[in-house]
Amino acid sequence: MNDEDLGSYFALIYEVGIINQIGTAFLESRLPSGLLVSHFGVVSHLIRVRDGATPLELARAFQVAKTTMTHTLAGLEKHGFVEMRSNPDDRRSKQVWLTPAGEHFRNDALVKLTPLFEELGGRFSPKRVTEMLPDLAEFRAVIDQLRDEIK
């Protein structure tokens, strides 16, 4: 691979990182006091993927230490956004269940993102965004796989 090709891959990773930073800052500034993007991410994950995940499964999904996820979950539980229940398959562990308040928290945050989405809609048509998503999702899946393969 030549230097120009390497530079293109670096530029792609760099742009994705900047997009993440800007999106995180935009979202976090619209969340209730004391809540972080990590809280929003866990609630969204529970809605999108599944309720009833264990803290360890969530830690792996978010690529954080179990203690970090436990801290995030404690904040969500304190706000009444999740409920911790005994795991019927393994009484030593817990499962995380979303509450109606947690779903409301996520939906309210999405409403607060509407001005950004409307502004983006004036610059990137919904069709163009829809066309970008498969490539971005594939890129995410590949780098997620490579993260585990390349040490």
Side-chain angles (χ1 to χ4, degrees), residues 37-99:
V37 169
S38 57
H39 296 113
F40 176 83
V42 169
V43 169
S44 292
H45 181 84
L46 292 172
I47 290 171
R48 187 177 59 84
V49 178
R50 70 179 177 96
D51 247 353
T54 66
L56 183 58
E57 289 169 335
L58 289 169
R60 287 180 179 146
F62 284 88
Q63 302 166 40
V64 298
K66 186 177 177 224
T67 54
T68 301
M69 182 54 64
T70 300
H71 181 73
T72 299
L73 294 172
L76 287 170
E77 192 173 29
K78 180 179 121 186
H79 283 87
F81 297 158
V82 299
E83 182 180 289
M84 305 297 284
R85 299 182 196 160
S86 292
N87 184 343
D89 298 327
D90 180 358
R91 293 282 179 199
R92 296 169 297 164
S93 73
K94 300 277 188 187
Q95 290 179 303
V96 183
W97 297 90
L98 190 64
T99 66

Side-chain angles (χ1 to χ4, degrees), residues 111-132:
V111 167
K112 290 178 181 173
L113 289 172
T114 299
L116 172 64
F117 298 155
E118 288 174 345
E119 185 62 34
L120 286 171
R123 298 174 189 219
F124 295 89
S125 71
K127 180 179 185 287
R128 185 173 175 196
V129 170
T130 299
E131 289 169 350
M132 282 191 262

Side-chain angles (χ1 to χ4, degrees), residues 48 135 140 145:
R48 187 177 59 84
D135 286 338
R140 176 197 38 83
Q145 179 183 358

Side-chain angles (χ1 to χ4, degrees), residues 6 28 51 88 104 114 151:
L6 290 173
E28 209 156 77
D51 247 353
H104 176 76
T114 299
K151 302 290 178 188

